[in-house]
Amino acid sequence: MRAMTELLLTGLLMVGTVAPSYAETSAVAPGFSLPSIYGGGEVSMEDYRGKVVYLDFWASWCGPCRQSLPMLDQLRQEVGADKFEVIAINLDETPEEGLAFLKQFPVSYTVLVDQQKLTPRQYQLMGMPSSFLIDQQGVIRSSHTGFRKSDIEKIRKSVEALLEAPTVSGSDKTSTQGAANES
Amino acid sequence: MKVKLGMITLILPVFLGACADMSVLEEVPAWERGSLARPEMAWEPDPMHAALRQHIYFSKEASSGAASAGGGGCGCN
Amino acid sequence: MKQTKSSRLQALTAAAMALPGISAQVQADAPPERNEIGYHYSQYQEDRAPESAVATGSKSRYDIGTHQFRWLGPVNEDYSLLATFDYEGMSGASPMGVTKGADGKPLLVMSGASIEDTRMDLNVKATRYFPEGNASASLGYSTEDDYNAVNLGVEGEKHFNNKSTTLSGGVGFSSDTIEPTQQSGTVRPTSEDKTSVTGFIGGAQVINAVSVIQTSLTVTMHDGYLSDPYRSNDVRPDSRLGFAWNTRYRRWMADSNAALHLDYRLYSDDWGILSHTLGMEWHQNLDDSLRITPSLRYYTQSQADFYVPFDVSGIAGEQSSDYRLSPYGAITLGLAAVASGPNWRLRVSGERYYSDGDFALGGVDVENPGLINFTLLTVGMEYLY
């Protein structure tokens, strides 16, 4: 009961601190290696160097996810999977719950499962869904919590901006590694 | 009297258990709120039926008061 | 690309430590993703008054059929709209007073003919969503043959601590007018008004990954004509100030695949009514699409200061023999079944209410003969699109 009072008081002091819905960052995306939700081999973050990656953390119980999954799937097909990848990490308690959701909302992009719930800690998730836009060098360029229909256009613009950036042309393994280390 | 005692012996231990639960607050990360997000965990899983029940009890008993500002009276009380 | 698991783990742990607050924002409040439309039909039936409890008049009590309609949907990314409409048809007789029988026991004086009435109630509520909260305004209108009420309200919620804590509050206002149906041989007012103001504050807290609690305090002030014009000797104070303290607790029982609901309300007002309401529901999932919910409610109230077990005619001052102001207790047993799919929900439920002087906390010397028992049966459906 005392802890609750403390929380309520802390809460009162925080009135008025409204955070922006998009945060720009320049941190190196934490690496991971996780199995596909459909079974089979592990996929790691580094496999996608050279591509713009939209990393999406979701769960079957998250309301906005029934909008975000199909819309992201469409965006990936429109932009082209050769340049832009969506990687979704399912955080349901059991993969079966995530699979049941995917049956209802099928997607063609990579869906991984993190049963140890290590990645959400590394990416410091504050809400569901949470997403991170990662550039060709593996640097997180922006992060976002929640999902609204209009977000997809903002994501498209950000992805296109990253694809048009000069660093993309002639990017080879060594130069991208170098860029990531510099930031 | 039997009914009264029955009610108390049935409900009191559950409430005491709930109080014990409350004494330890935990920080629950966003991705571990799946159980809390379940529809049957809502304050009112069926808002339509809850509204009807509230209306009936308001009409047939002397007490009123729920945590909402809407809703009006009726010629029933 | 081949790397050992442990080295991968080390690499990502190191990277995590280097992250300077990449996800500083929390999830915004948002309107529901889908539209929801619902229809419920309920049959409310009070048991007939026992032969031995009635001095004169009809023995049939109220019988009410209620159609409920509800629509909830997003308007745009920041607003949602909720509209509800109720249509009720009621019939039956109601107690006009309590008289002393030959053996000294109280007997009901019931209205003779059956009363027929319809009630319509329309409520609209608009909600605006903010990054860490929401605010809404509501407007409602309710009408019966002899009654009209307009109400408005504003309320809001603000989330804190990454949505672990929510504070809420609101105020409501209602203006009611009663124009009693006249009957020869009785003296009834022609038109009377009542205004009510309600305010509440509350807080909700996530306790752990499986339980949450909410507590709130509601203050209600009524002013104006608060008596029952259809009772022979019913004179009540022209104001009423009441407090309600509500606490609700929800716990997910993973082992049983069920949710436990506990509700408690303490109510007290300046008419002398003190009541306790305890509610318990067990939402048991049988599979992904079927849920069974048994419920139990216990209610007990003390009498109003001006409550009289028998009507006394020809005296000045406040008095009422209304069973609703008498001391008693009540128990409701309920069972509901909810079947659901990805975009629909079906509900069937039944509740049985028993009230009795013996159920009250504390003794009751003279039980009011007007106490009711009722059955409530409901079928309902909701569709999401």
Side-chain angles (χ1 to χ4, degrees):
Chain A
M1 230 32 213
R2 198 173 63 99
M4 190 173 154
T5 320
E6 271 172 25
L7 273 173
L8 280 170
L9 286 174
T10 328
L12 277 172
L13 293 172
M14 281 169 63
V15 178
T17 56
V18 176
S21 63
Y22 276 93
E24 290 195 5
T25 73
S26 59
V28 178
F32 55 78
S33 183
L34 294 167
S36 163
I37 195 164
Y38 308 105
E42 297 209 337
V43 172
S44 91
M45 189 65 224
E46 287 98 273
D47 299 346
Y48 295 90
R49 280 289 148 81
K51 282 186 182 184
V52 172
V53 170
Y54 186 86
L55 181 65
D56 190 36
F57 291 92
W58 69 283
S60 64
W61 48 266
C62 130
C65 295
R66 67 177 61 237
Q67 287 182 335
S68 63
L69 267 76
M71 288 179 111
L72 288 169
D73 198 38
Q74 202 190 338
L75 180 68
R76 172 180 175 265
Q77 278 164 24
E78 283 167 15
V79 176
D82 53 326
K83 295 175 286 184
F84 171 59
E85 252 317 330
V86 177
I87 307 174
I89 299 182
N90 176 267
L91 297 177
D92 271 303
E93 211 165 309
T94 62
E96 287 72 33
E97 294 164 87
L99 282 169
F101 185 93
L102 289 168
K103 214 174 216 178
Q104 209 187 331
F105 301 96
V107 293
S108 52
Y109 54 73
T110 310
V111 182
L112 308 176
V113 59
D114 183 357
Q115 283 203 267
Q116 274 73 51
K117 311 285 186 279
L118 221 61
T119 46
R121 284 175 212 282
Q122 283 153 354
Y123 281 82
Q124 300 164 16
L125 258 57
M126 299 292 276
M128 290 290 280
S130 273
S131 59
F132 300 86
L133 191 61
I134 298 162
D135 69 13
Q136 297 91 325
Q137 288 78 41
V139 174
I140 299 172
R141 301 297 287 261
S142 69
S143 69
H144 183 49
T145 310
F147 186 87
R148 296 170 169 216
K149 273 184 192 161
S150 65
D151 286 347
I152 201 74
E153 277 316 303
K154 295 176 198 160
I155 296 165
R156 181 196 299 274
K157 285 206 178 87
S158 304
V159 170
E160 281 166 357
L162 284 178
L163 288 172
E164 282 160 20
T167 45
V168 183
S169 56
S171 72
D172 58 289
K173 283 275 179 256
T174 43
S175 71
T176 52
Q177 280 302 111
N181 290 338
E182 274 160 32
S183 57
Chain B
M1 203 59 209
K2 250 189 211 155
V3 173
K4 254 188 287 181
L5 278 175
M7 284 293 129
I8 293 164
T9 49
L10 194 68
I11 291 172
L12 206 65
V14 188
F15 271 83
L16 290 176
C19 290
D21 185 12
M22 272 164 248
S23 61
V24 195
L25 275 187
E26 287 169 30
E27 174 121 27
V28 183
W31 60 91
E32 281 175 13
R33 296 191 184 175
S35 301
L36 299 178
R38 299 185 70 94
E40 61 271 33
M41 282 289 285
W43 299 119
E44 294 297 357
D46 189 330
M48 285 178 88
H49 199 64
L52 180 73
R53 252 195 306 222
Q54 197 184 321
H55 175 70
I56 291 171
Y57 290 131
F58 166 75
S59 318
K60 304 293 172 185
E61 296 175 342
S63 313
S64 63
S68 69
C74 60
C76 49
N77 208 344
Chain C
M1 282 298 148
K2 291 273 175 283
Q3 232 177 332
T4 62
K5 263 208 168 147
S6 63
S7 70
R8 274 271 153 75
L9 199 66
Q10 279 165 5
L12 49 88
T13 316
M17 286 198 268
L19 278 179
I22 47 167
S23 192
Q25 75 286 64
V26 296
Q27 185 177 2
D29 244 24
E33 290 83 32
R34 294 186 286 174
N35 293 286
E36 202 179 312
I37 190 158
Y39 168 75
H40 283 202
Y41 177 73
S42 296
Q43 185 67 43
Y44 166 94
Q45 190 157 20
E46 291 175 0
D47 292 0
R48 282 174 68 84
E51 210 67 52
S52 58
V54 178
T56 58
S58 169
K59 277 145 204 95
S60 75
R61 303 289 299 262
Y62 273 120
D63 196 349
I64 306 171
T66 307
H67 302 267
Q68 287 178 285
F69 302 87
R70 181 178 186 265
W71 178 80
L72 169 70
V75 175
N76 58 27
E77 293 202 330
D78 293 319
Y79 286 91
S80 74
L81 205 62
L82 168 71
T84 59
F85 177 71
D86 296 351
Y87 181 90
E88 277 184 356
M90 47 193 132
S91 65
S94 72
M96 293 165 66
V98 180
T99 184
K100 202 173 264 188
D103 55 355
K105 284 219 295 223
L107 292 175
L108 284 178
V109 179
M110 298 289 292
S111 59
S114 175
I115 302 161
E116 300 270 340
D117 200 356
T118 53
R119 173 174 170 270
M120 282 182 274
D121 187 312
L122 178 69
N123 272 278
V124 181
K125 181 171 170 178
T127 303
R128 164 94 158 98
Y129 299 84
F130 297 102
E132 286 175 59
N134 63 72
S136 52
S138 60
L139 184 67
Y141 179 70
S142 171
T143 181
E144 289 166 54
D145 292 350
D146 60 349
Y147 204 87
N148 287 301
V150 180
N151 71 77
L152 34 117
V154 286
E155 57 191 293
E157 271 188 340
K158 177 129 177 78
H159 309 300
F160 301 96
N161 308 323
N162 198 13
K163 272 197 167 175
S164 290
T165 309
T166 299
L167 294 185
S168 55
V171 287
F173 172 81
S174 174
S175 172
D176 307 21
T177 304
I178 185 161
E179 290 174 340
T181 322
Q182 299 300 319
Q183 198 189 349
S184 60
T186 59
V187 183
R188 288 175 185 166
T190 51
S191 178
E192 295 285 355
D193 297 323
K194 169 172 99 181
T195 54
S196 309
V197 181
T198 298
F200 79 91
I201 49 163
Q205 176 65 46
V206 171
I207 299 166
N208 51 41
V210 291
S211 57
V212 279
I213 189 165
Q214 183 194 59
T215 189
S216 65
L217 190 67
T218 308
V219 181
T220 306
M221 223 166 69
H222 300 286
D223 198 46
Y225 183 79
L226 305 176
S227 304
D228 185 338
Y230 298 111
R231 299 183 71 87
S232 314
N233 296 286
D234 196 86
V235 183
R236 305 182 188 189
D238 54 13
S239 76
R240 186 179 188 180
L241 179 64
F243 295 89
W245 176 47
N246 276 282
T247 302
R248 304 198 277 189
Y249 172 74
R250 304 286 177 264
R251 187 185 174 93
W252 173 245
M253 304 289 195
D255 294 343
S256 319
N257 196 13
L260 170 71
H261 290 204
L262 292 180
D263 293 2
Y264 170 72
R265 180 185 63 184
L266 175 71
Y267 172 85
S268 166
D269 66 27
D270 63 354
W271 282 9
I273 303 270
L274 177 73
S275 77
H276 302 274
T277 314
L278 291 168
M280 224 162 112
E281 288 181 1
W282 183 264
H283 295 253
Q284 179 67 54
N285 291 303
L286 296 181
D287 61 38
D288 285 346
S289 58
L290 188 64
R291 197 163 75 222
I292 298 282
T293 307
S295 63
L296 175 67
R297 177 184 185 267
Y298 175 64
Y299 175 77
T300 176
Q301 72 173 47
S302 66
Q303 67 173 66
D305 297 332
F306 53 89
Y307 169 75
V308 288
F310 308 97
D311 287 298
V312 191
S313 51
I315 58 150
E318 290 151 359
Q319 66 161 312
S320 175
S321 62
D322 190 340
Y323 73 90
R324 290 171 292 195
L325 301 175
S326 75
Y328 71 92
I331 286 154
T332 314
L333 298 171
L335 188 64
V338 177
S340 57
N343 57 356
W344 56 270
R345 211 157 46 229
L346 282 176
R347 176 196 177 90
V348 182
S349 69
E351 274 137 286
R352 179 75 184 151
Y353 176 91
Y354 303 93
S355 58
D356 198 304
D358 290 339
F359 295 171
L361 282 182
V364 175
D365 292 336
V366 184
E367 183 189 274
N368 191 297
L371 291 175
I372 52 164
N373 295 333
F374 69 74
T375 305
L376 178 69
L377 299 172
T378 302
V379 287
M381 59 205 80
E382 268 108 52
Y383 178 69
L384 294 100
Y385 61 99

